[in-house]
Amino acid sequence: MLDSQTLIDAILRGMMISAVNRAVFESKPVFSMGTVNQGLRLGASSVAYDVAVRPAVKSVLPQIPLPNGSK
């Protein structure tokens, strides 16, 4: 689950989200160290979520019945 492709994918996705955010909402330069730093933080938080939170949620959710009766 946690291999080099997953890490690279999460970091690049974080940088893309950061670049769009800075260009559209913050009106700041896209090609800057701020974009890289924010992208690394987003990528690291995504990896941490995948490793720590997602397995816990998947183990708990099947036990909770949904209102429409499906699982």
Side-chain angles (χ1 to χ4, degrees):
M1 178 176 157
L2 188 61
D3 56 353
S4 61
Q5 282 301 115
T6 305
L7 293 173
I8 291 170
D9 183 53
I11 289 172
L12 291 177
R13 187 180 310 122
M15 287 187 190
M16 288 186 291
I17 293 169
S18 173
V20 170
N21 178 50
R22 287 175 66 89
V24 174
F25 299 110
E26 297 178 5
S27 298
K28 292 183 178 178
V30 173
F31 298 109
S32 66
M33 281 306 296
T35 302
V36 173
N37 290 334
Q38 187 179 15
L40 288 174
R41 283 196 305 268
L42 288 171
S45 64
S46 174
V47 169
Y49 177 81
D50 286 344
V51 170
V53 177
R54 188 171 291 176
V57 170
K58 283 185 178 180
S59 69
V60 171
L61 280 183
Q63 301 168 1
I64 299 174
L66 297 176
N68 63 1
S70 65
K71 290 186 177 185

